[in-house]
Amino acid sequence: MSTSTQTSQPGPGVSPVRRSKLTRGQRPRWLVPVVGVVAVVAGAALAALVGFGIALWALFAAVIFLVVGPLAVGLIEGSRAGKDSLMTFLVYAAFVLAVIPLVSVIWTVLVNGVPGLTGSMLLTSMNGVTGLQDNTAGSSSQVVGGAYHAIVGTVSITFWATIMSVPVGLLTAIYLVEYSQGGWLGRAITFFVDVMTGIPSIVAGLFAAALFGMIFGPSTRTGFVAAVALTVLMIPTVVKNTEEMLRIVPNELREASYALGVRKWRTILKVVIPTAISGIASGVTLAIARVIGETAPLLVTAGFATAINWNSFSGWMTTLPTFIYYQIMNPTSPTNPDPSLQRAWAAALILIIIVMLLNLVARLIARAFAPKTAGR
């Protein structure tokens, strides 16, 4: 059966466009973006008629998108395709609704945090800063004091927590996947890891504080105690993510290595882990992001200081989350809280930037250690 084709007259330097019966009646690629724009505009208009609000605007836009999209597809490709496309548009709408809060948070932090991201904020601490100085501050350039000590504390405590939790979590996951073979010890470890996943962060902080209080005396608060508390929170995340990544490594790779006479430990080190390194790095980054913003366990383990402390094993330390908490709840100047709020928003922006940099570093590490393919 022959298929008739039509060739449009091309312009100078343009290749001819061939149209076939097999490609007629298909939705254009620009349909979904156009429907999305129409839904946003029409939703804003309807929301303005009944009393404009962001939530009402989003609701109207989502309803219009879910109604107009399948109808447009149905008019072009038929009613069956229109009904089938309803699920596609539901996925698009769900994705947009999931992204809106993220974009809103990032935008809010940028708008409020960028004005306070000054040299004083990044390079000075709150040591010696009093309410008198905040009362005389008239603009962002005049606000003294910063979060340098909190940045140092965050990096130091997170570093020690990562050093302790990643090896333990990685080795535990390797045992569960490669050696346990469903034994009682593997089942017990899995059970306790699941229990630890749901432990409230304040409980981890109280555990670390009580442990070091028994060893070194009551009221022992240092950066290392806080790192131990964060380790309790990080290990379950590292174990679960690493375990899932190791399980998806094809057994054929292991069997091929064993067939060549390679020992099991070397197969794990040279074949299994490099194959899953991308997911493992993402899991470690997720674990770090999960604990880097914790506040409650750090308040009971590291305390709060206004000066810079480079020693994680002695003295109180401040992290960005606790710095933000104290700047909001206890402004340096109760009569003029604006400088403290500015510092808090700037510290929140710094915290987001640190998490983004960690994610970038994890991707670079995964790319560097991933198996080399023919195309790389």
Side-chain angles (χ1 to χ4, degrees):
M1 180 179 64
S2 61
T3 302
S4 62
T5 58
Q6 295 179 350
T7 304
S8 59
Q9 295 297 329
V14 180
S15 60
V17 179
R18 299 180 62 86
R19 301 186 183 276
S20 170
K21 287 182 178 180
L22 297 177
T23 60
R24 292 178 183 175
Q26 293 184 357
R27 74 189 80 172
R29 295 181 178 179
W30 46 261
L31 179 63
V32 174
V34 169
V35 172
V37 173
V38 171
V40 170
V41 175
L46 291 176
L49 292 177
V50 297
F52 186 81
I54 299 296
L56 196 60
W57 180 15
L59 177 62
F60 281 141
V63 172
I64 294 172
F65 183 76
L66 293 177
V67 173
V68 174
L71 287 177
V73 174
L75 292 175
I76 297 173
E77 300 184 0
S79 60
R80 184 175 180 180
K83 295 177 182 178
D84 181 70
S85 67
L86 177 60
M87 293 305 300
T88 302
F89 281 88
L90 279 173
V91 172
Y92 289 146
F95 171 74
V96 172
L97 291 177
V99 169
I100 286 176
L102 175 62
V103 175
S104 176
V105 169
I106 294 177
W107 176 255
T108 303
V109 175
L110 284 174
V111 170
N112 293 279
V114 169
L117 207 62
T118 61
S120 176
M121 181 67 187
L122 296 173
L123 301 176
T124 61
S125 67
M126 293 296 294
N127 190 27
V129 179
T130 63
L132 179 62
Q133 294 166 307
D134 278 1
N135 288 332
T136 59
S139 63
S140 59
S141 60
Q142 297 175 346
V143 175
V144 297
Y148 182 59
H149 61 304
I151 297 173
V152 172
T154 298
V155 174
S156 177
I157 292 174
T158 306
F159 170 78
W160 286 112
T162 304
I163 290 296
M164 290 185 288
S165 61
V166 171
V168 174
L170 182 60
L171 293 175
T172 302
I174 291 174
Y175 173 79
L176 292 175
V177 176
E178 305 292 341
Y179 293 98
S180 68
Q181 299 178 351
W184 67 269
L185 181 57
R187 293 195 301 270
I189 292 174
T190 301
F191 172 76
F192 285 113
V193 168
D194 292 338
V195 172
M196 290 175 63
T197 303
I199 289 180
S201 60
I202 186 63
V203 175
L206 292 174
F207 161 75
L211 175 64
F212 281 84
M214 292 174 56
I215 299 174
F216 298 103
S219 301
T220 301
R221 295 185 180 182
T222 63
F224 188 75
V225 179
V228 172
L230 297 186
T231 300
V232 175
L233 300 175
M234 285 184 66
I235 287 178
T237 305
V238 175
V239 172
K240 299 299 290 185
N241 283 278
T242 305
E243 182 182 1
E244 293 299 324
M245 291 301 104
L246 294 178
R247 289 191 186 279
I248 65 176
V249 176
N251 284 328
E252 289 78 4
L253 295 177
R254 298 179 176 89
E255 293 170 355
S257 179
Y258 298 152
L260 295 175
V262 181
R263 295 182 179 181
K264 188 169 186 175
W265 70 268
R266 194 168 183 84
T267 298
I268 296 172
L269 186 63
K270 296 295 184 179
V271 177
V272 178
I273 292 180
T275 303
I277 188 63
S278 179
I280 294 174
S282 299
V284 171
T285 305
L286 180 64
I288 295 174
R290 185 246 188 274
V291 302
I292 199 172
E294 290 290 347
T295 305
L298 301 182
L299 289 174
V300 299
T301 54
F304 181 80
T306 58
I308 301 172
N309 180 13
W310 292 92
N311 188 359
S312 300
F313 300 91
S314 176
W316 289 15
M317 296 188 77
T318 299
T319 60
L320 287 170
T322 56
F323 177 80
I324 295 170
Y325 173 80
Y326 275 101
Q327 287 296 311
I328 294 176
M329 300 303 297
N330 299 299
T332 306
S333 173
T335 58
N336 184 24
D338 290 341
S340 295
L341 291 177
Q342 178 178 294
R343 297 190 195 100
W345 281 112
L349 179 58
I350 295 171
L351 192 60
I352 292 177
I353 293 174
I354 291 176
V355 173
M356 293 177 63
L357 291 176
L358 289 173
N359 192 13
L360 178 61
V361 170
R363 290 179 179 273
L364 293 176
I365 293 174
R367 179 174 297 182
F369 289 94
K372 302 298 185 293
T373 60
R376 296 183 59 181

